[in-house]
């Protein structure tokens, strides 16, 4: 199993450009998440999904969009990149077992907006 | 959400035990105590979790106070590969994790 994979690993964007961060998991997990991590800080939840076709906002959703058309994929879209979106982005997945759930994280995408 | 308090950083010598404390005085009866760690330049990884009783797994042990207002993650023999940021997180399901600043563990050879 590859687990959670993310592409690209690194990206530099100009202000106003758009891009999609890709996330795929092969564990047949229902739940998927997007986090961002600013330097020296903990992770903050951007969006999450509890199953295909269902998404919801997390703590910091502004400036981002998501979709979940399949169980495996959960792309994150930045429409108009801003310097404040410079961060490391982590995708995660979990089974959704409410008593003992564990999140599995991808390796991250380091995004710089100039 | 119930919050946790952890020291910003700790140091340990290699091959010695490490006790990482976490205070969570506002924990609710249904909150599980989760520990994740983040190695340099990697995503977080699950370490251990518990509700009331102490827990052991191949990575670590979790000691939970009787009143559940604090807990301690125990690494029995620290190695250089254990140098990471350790996050103590409360959640009643494990689905919606709120990461604080964590404790940066430095391991000296």
């Amino acid at each position: 199993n590859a687990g959670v994979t993310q592409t690209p690993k690194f990206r530099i964007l100009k202000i106003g450009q758009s891009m999609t961060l890709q996330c795929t998991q092969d564990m047949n997990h229902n739940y998927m998440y997007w986090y961002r991590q600013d330097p020296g800080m903990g992770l903050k939840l951007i969006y999450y999904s509890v199953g295909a076709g269902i998404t919801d906002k997390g703590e910091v959703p502004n400036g981002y969009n998501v979709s979940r058309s399949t169980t495996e994929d959960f792309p994150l879209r930045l429409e108009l990149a801003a310097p404040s979106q410079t961060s490391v982005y982590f995708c995660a997945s979990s089974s959704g077992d409410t008593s003992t759930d564990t999140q599995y994280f991808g390796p991250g995408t380091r995004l710089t907006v100039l | 959400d119930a919050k946790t308090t952890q020291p910003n950083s700790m140091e340990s010598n290699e091959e010695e035990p490490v006790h990482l404390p976490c205070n969570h005085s506002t924990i609710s009866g249904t909150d599980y105590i989760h520990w994740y760690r983040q190695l340099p330049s990697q995503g977080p990884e699950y370490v251990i979790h518990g509700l009331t009783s102490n827990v052991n797994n191949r990575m670590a042990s979790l000691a939970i106070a009787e009143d559940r207002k604090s807990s301690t993650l125990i690494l029995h023999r620290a190695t250089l590969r254990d140098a990471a940021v350790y996050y103590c997180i409360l959640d009643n399901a494990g689905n919606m994790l709120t990461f604080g600043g964590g404790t940066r563990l430095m391991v000296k050879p």
Side-chain angles (χ1 to χ4, degrees):
Chain A
N1 283 356
V4 179
T5 57
Q6 293 183 239
T7 56
K9 285 186 169 47
F10 303 94
R11 184 73 185 267
I12 298 175
L13 284 182
K14 293 182 180 177
I15 294 172
Q17 287 185 321
S18 62
M19 77 164 293
T20 299
L21 283 66
Q22 302 291 347
C23 175
T24 300
Q25 53 94 7
D26 62 1
M27 296 173 281
N28 201 32
H29 282 166
N30 289 319
Y31 285 48
M32 295 188 74
Y33 314 81
W34 274 106
Y35 295 88
R36 60 176 286 173
Q37 185 174 33
D38 297 332
M41 308 292 284
L43 282 71
K44 292 186 178 179
L45 184 64
I46 305 171
Y47 271 96
Y48 67 98
S49 168
V50 300
I54 307 169
T55 63
D56 208 345
K57 296 177 180 179
E59 183 184 354
V60 290
N62 290 346
Y64 307 94
N65 280 301
V66 293
S67 59
R68 183 96 182 269
S69 56
T70 67
T71 300
E72 296 78 20
D73 300 306
F74 190 39
L76 178 72
R77 178 90 178 154
L78 283 72
E79 290 293 351
L80 290 170
S84 61
Q85 294 177 305
T86 294
S87 192
V88 180
Y89 291 84
F90 291 102
C91 179
S93 72
S94 67
S95 64
D97 178 343
T98 56
S99 62
T100 58
D101 211 4
T102 297
Q103 291 192 20
Y104 295 84
F105 286 81
T109 294
R110 186 175 297 274
L111 176 67
T112 301
V113 182
L114 300 174
Chain B
D1 288 338
K3 289 183 184 259
T4 63
T5 303
Q6 299 177 254
N8 288 336
S9 63
M10 290 184 65
E11 264 190 12
S12 170
N13 293 318
E14 199 176 11
E15 303 293 318
E16 290 186 356
V18 181
H19 291 231
L20 296 164
C22 182
N23 287 325
H24 29 78
S25 58
T26 59
I27 191 170
S28 74
T30 56
D31 279 336
Y32 281 80
I33 302 160
H34 301 263
W35 284 83
Y36 282 74
R37 73 179 185 180
Q38 188 173 19
L39 302 172
S41 300
Q42 294 189 28
E45 64 175 349
Y46 168 80
V47 178
I48 201 166
H49 77 280
L51 184 62
T52 57
S53 304
N54 294 343
V55 184
N56 300 298
N57 66 21
R58 62 175 181 82
M59 287 181 72
S61 296
L62 177 60
I64 302 172
E66 198 168 330
D67 64 5
R68 299 210 326 125
K69 293 187 177 183
S70 66
S71 60
T72 302
L73 180 71
I74 303 165
L75 307 179
H76 295 286
R77 288 180 66 201
T79 71
L80 296 178
R81 289 177 298 177
D82 291 320
V85 178
Y86 287 78
Y87 297 98
C88 170
I89 302 166
L90 302 182
D91 189 78
N92 61 9
N95 303 130
M96 294 299 145
L97 304 179
T98 300
F99 287 80
T103 296
R104 181 173 299 278
L105 176 66
M106 292 168 280
V107 180
K108 297 183 292 184

